[in-house]
Amino acid sequence: EGLNMKSSEYTAIVVGSGVAGLYAALKLSELKNAKQNILVITKSGIKDSNSRYAQGGIVSVMSENPTDSVKLHVQDTLKSGAGLSDPSVVEFISKNSEKVIKDLLKHGVKFDRNDNGELCFTKEGAHSVRRILHAGGDATGLFIEQALADDVLAKNNINVLEGTIVTELLLDKNGVCCGVIAFDDEEGEYQTFYSNAVILATGGCGQLYKYTTNPSVTTGDGMAVAYRAGAVMQDMEFFQFHPTAFKAKTEENMFLISEAVRGEGAKLTDENGNTFMEKYDERLELASRDIVSRAIFNEMRINNVPNVYLNATVIPKDKLNKRFPTILETCRKNGVDPENQFIPVSPAAHYMMGGVKASVTGVTSIKNLYVIGETACTGLHGANRLASNSLLECAVTGYEIAELLKDENFDEVIADDNDEKIAETIAVYEKPLDEKSVDFKVLREKLRDTMWQYVGIIRNEQNLEHAKKEVEKIEEAFGYADKCPNKEAFELRNMIVIAKLVIDFAIRRKESRGGHFREDYTGKHEPARHYTRTKNTDKYEEIYVK
Ligand code: SIN
């Protein structure tokens, strides 16, 4: 381990193998000016990502869907974003949706079609029309991911490095990103990879919460390494809780019951089948996610029950089976038959709206560092993401990063061998580690409990301050600041970094807006503004929305 780290150079390094990362890698590999290979680094297998669990679908404003338009989609997205979505970003992503979907079709993604061969569109919460494409019924993310992964593996100018976690970005003395340090957990070895284009696409951080629809890999790694390197972070207080996760632990995390089930007519009820959404919003089951999650949470609290129910028996049986095969199978495996029984559901952490501040082409505050997908905060989602806009953002930003780099001169020198700043960063990872006896699993669970209890769906000052102290204690018990003994520890290091940011941003925002609900500030609104901050300053910058 350590000394004489192996080192190699690439035209571009993509970190993460979800839809954003794989699609970016594919598009970059097609660039004529790409002189060397593209490297994809992923900490588990190429097909393990949060994208693969995305059920409902991907938004697309298609000319063949006459009820829809960019204008309508922009309107719905801005409304859901509660004043914090950037209209020009929303419009850009919406306008580019058809182009990107057509390209995904060329890459072999088989979106569901009706008997006439036309694409099927479904509906989810807060969408005014049917505009969501799906694949395999309720396995959209998996289908896109598989098609892209197959294409990536078939390309001879893309190298895929699995089981390897990026632990630090390499910035030179001018603050330019020149590459990454990565750790191979199995070999216990560090390597450096150099490139003029480092693209982080590591997804979100649902694992911060005890109950989440996200898989175990979602530990905020990209956000944490970017923040540690000095990138500007934005909107970290805005976490989306999905209203309906299956109330039984399936493997490690909670299984999602897609919003599309409500889109097709399922009702939220108590155990006797009484509906309650009429008390909360005239859009009923299809109100925006924050409203439905809080309504369920409230019902659970006042009735002192661990869950509510989703009545999908109202959906015709043939439709239910055709549209939601994965959901039906998983429910049945867990003893619930949705054709005849209500599905027990409760809200769970689902999506980070904030992240590394980035443009729609991935540009960040650090030169040559690009961030796309859930890791980024482009301004599309604002305070509350509209369902199925996230896979669309992954696809559009994955496509646009290659457009941006198509005129780049990749001949330029990648990094100066004698740069003292790079040498300093590498030296940290070459030092022998002073190993302590720490139970990372116990600390991780403690962190997730704390976040769920005190930084969850309903927040207040006292709870947030309490969480802050608890996380500081966890950080102290953890004891590692940079180099860690293994992947599990690196993940925890990253989760602590991000948890502290979420808490601090949540304390800072003294209002309720979108996914951030403060019971101590329910009525009052601040002027619409984002908060951003970097590691090097404790101060928040404020960006007012025009
Ligand atoms: C779902 O299928 O309900 C998830 C869709 C999303 O999170 O956008």
Side-chain angles (χ1 to χ4, degrees):
E1 174 204 320
L3 288 167
N4 304 319
M5 272 183 210
K6 259 199 286 177
S7 168
S8 45
E9 288 183 8
Y10 292 87
T11 285
I13 298 168
V14 177
V15 188
S17 62
V19 165
L22 293 178
Y23 196 38
L26 263 184
K27 294 282 116 193
L28 287 164
S29 76
E30 290 166 7
L31 293 183
K32 304 254 180 318
N33 54 332
K35 300 272 162 47
Q36 290 166 300
N37 281 8
I38 311 295
L39 175 67
V40 175
I41 305 180
T42 175
K43 69 174 173 179
S44 48
I46 186 173
K47 292 186 178 170
D48 291 329
S49 74
N50 201 9
S51 301
R52 109 184 233 135
Y53 297 86
Q55 297 177 354
I58 180 165
V59 161
S60 187
V61 182
M62 306 283 280
S63 38
E64 64 195 87
N65 183 9
T67 58
D68 200 10
S69 67
V70 166
K71 190 164 168 230
L72 264 186
H73 176 228
V74 169
Q75 257 172 26
D76 290 350
T77 303
L78 292 180
K79 189 164 178 211
S80 189
L84 291 189
S85 295
D86 179 336
S88 61
V89 168
V90 179
E91 194 176 332
F92 180 89
I93 291 184
S94 186
K95 272 189 176 155
N96 281 288
S97 60
E98 180 155 19
K99 170 183 85 181
V100 165
I101 292 297
K102 289 195 165 146
D103 190 57
L104 287 176
L105 289 167
K106 272 195 232 144
H107 280 289
V109 180
K110 292 203 166 34
F111 291 111
D112 293 335
R113 292 176 184 272
N114 63 18
D115 294 341
N116 299 328
E118 297 153 344
L119 289 169
C120 300
F121 296 93
T122 191
K123 198 168 181 229
E124 290 181 83
H127 283 277
S128 55
V129 299
R130 287 183 167 260
R131 63 162 69 95
I132 297 162
L133 296 172
H134 43 87
D138 56 2
T140 314
L142 182 70
F143 272 57
I144 302 178
E145 172 95 13
Q146 257 163 1
L148 295 177
D150 289 346
D151 277 7
V152 162
L153 292 171
K155 289 266 178 187
N156 52 19
N157 64 342
I158 303 180
N159 296 22
V160 178
L161 190 61
E162 298 184 307
T164 301
I165 183 168
V166 166
T167 62
E168 213 80 62
L169 299 178
L170 291 170
L171 265 55
D172 71 10
K173 59 178 185 298
N174 303 314
V176 177
C177 184
C178 303
V180 303
I181 301 183
F183 177 70
D184 176 336
D185 199 39
E186 211 161 282
E187 303 293 329
E189 262 178 17
Y190 289 91
Q191 283 193 59
T192 51
F193 301 97
Y194 290 93
S195 175
N196 283 336
V198 173
I199 298 139
L200 299 176
T202 60
C205 51
Q207 284 293 313
L208 286 183
Y209 289 95
K210 176 172 180 178
Y211 297 113
T212 178
T213 59
N214 296 184
S216 308
V217 290
T218 54
T219 51
D221 304 327
M223 291 176 196
V225 293
Y227 175 69
R228 289 164 63 86
V232 175
M233 309 298 288
Q234 179 173 306
D235 294 345
M236 296 297 287
E237 66 276 42
F238 292 111
F239 209 96
Q240 180 170 81
F241 295 85
H242 196 287
T244 54
F246 187 59
K247 190 69 191 185
K249 275 203 156 189
T250 51
E251 293 160 22
E252 266 185 72
N253 303 305
M254 288 179 82
F255 180 74
L256 182 68
I257 307 292
S258 176
E259 199 155 289
V261 182
R262 277 175 280 132
E264 299 297 349
K267 292 282 169 200
L268 285 163
T269 72
D270 65 11
E271 62 183 338
N272 299 316
N274 301 310
T275 58
F276 54 80
M277 274 313 297
E278 58 282 356
K279 286 195 276 178
Y280 298 93
D281 195 285
E282 61 186 15
R283 292 167 295 176
L284 307 175
E285 275 73 10
L286 291 179
S288 61
R289 245 172 224 185
D290 57 327
I291 292 171
V292 183
S293 285
R294 276 198 302 278
I296 296 175
F297 197 74
N298 196 43
E299 290 294 310
M300 285 161 50
R301 213 155 54 166
I302 54 183
N303 298 319
N304 196 21
V305 289
N307 58 270
V308 295
Y309 292 87
L310 190 65
N311 176 4
T313 66
V314 291
I315 303 173
K317 286 191 176 23
D318 51 339
K319 185 168 199 180
L320 191 62
N321 280 287
K322 189 162 174 222
R323 282 286 284 111
F324 306 112
T326 321
I327 294 174
L328 259 63
E329 190 191 326
T330 308
C331 286
R332 285 182 182 133
K333 261 197 221 148
N334 285 278
V336 175
D337 176 10
E339 276 186 330
N340 303 304
Q341 288 170 296
F342 299 162
I343 309 168
V345 290
S346 66
H350 189 59
Y351 189 89
M352 166 53 93
M353 268 79 71
V356 183
K357 185 174 169 53
S359 73
V360 275
T361 50
V363 175
T364 69
S365 58
I366 297 178
K367 187 162 165 35
N368 291 354
L369 175 70
Y370 305 91
V371 178
I372 55 175
E374 190 173 345
T375 317
C377 180
T378 61
L380 171 67
H381 309 307
N384 190 22
R385 180 179 63 91
L386 185 66
S388 290
N389 263 353
S390 41
L391 282 180
L392 174 62
E393 186 185 41
C394 290
V396 172
T397 55
Y399 187 100
E400 294 301 330
I401 182 90
E403 286 292 299
L404 178 78
L405 296 178
K406 73 171 189 261
D407 300 319
E408 188 82 0
N409 178 5
F410 288 115
D411 279 339
E412 275 173 35
V413 179
I414 285 184
D416 172 2
D417 283 346
N418 299 315
D419 189 282
E420 65 267 26
K421 194 80 190 42
I422 292 179
E424 216 175 274
T425 309
I426 293 175
V428 171
Y429 287 85
E430 288 184 330
K431 272 204 308 256
L433 194 66
D434 181 13
E435 291 224 24
K436 309 167 181 66
S437 118
V438 183
D439 191 331
F440 301 124
K441 270 198 188 59
V442 168
L443 289 183
R444 179 170 167 145
E445 289 318 307
K446 194 147 190 248
L447 180 72
R448 302 179 68 202
D449 273 347
T450 303
M451 291 297 286
W452 180 259
Q453 260 190 298
Y454 303 105
V455 197
I457 297 173
I458 294 180
R459 302 166 171 178
N460 64 49
E461 190 92 17
Q462 203 185 346
N463 282 352
L464 291 169
E465 290 291 351
H466 175 77
K468 188 172 173 154
K469 289 206 187 74
E470 288 302 304
V471 174
E472 277 162 9
K473 281 191 222 155
I474 292 169
E475 188 176 27
E476 208 175 293
F478 176 59
Y480 296 97
D482 29 51
K483 186 176 176 181
C484 293
N486 54 39
K487 183 168 92 175
E488 199 185 8
F490 276 117
E491 288 187 335
L492 185 54
R493 182 196 76 174
N494 295 342
M495 288 168 73
I496 291 170
V497 168
I498 302 304
K500 285 170 71 180
L501 279 174
V502 173
I503 295 168
D504 278 353
F505 272 76
I507 290 173
R508 179 70 196 79
R509 186 171 292 278
K510 298 186 191 324
E511 65 167 345
S512 292
R513 184 187 290 275
H516 174 68
F517 188 81
R518 289 278 305 251
E519 61 186 352
D520 44 354
Y521 295 97
T522 48
K524 185 173 150 279
H525 270 302
E526 293 182 347
R529 63 186 156 194
H530 301 276
Y531 296 118
T532 65
R533 66 178 277 191
T534 62
K535 187 179 150 218
N536 304 328
T537 160
D538 275 344
K539 281 209 299 286
Y540 286 89
E541 299 284 329
E542 296 174 0
I543 304 173
Y544 285 83
V545 179
K546 284 177 231 99

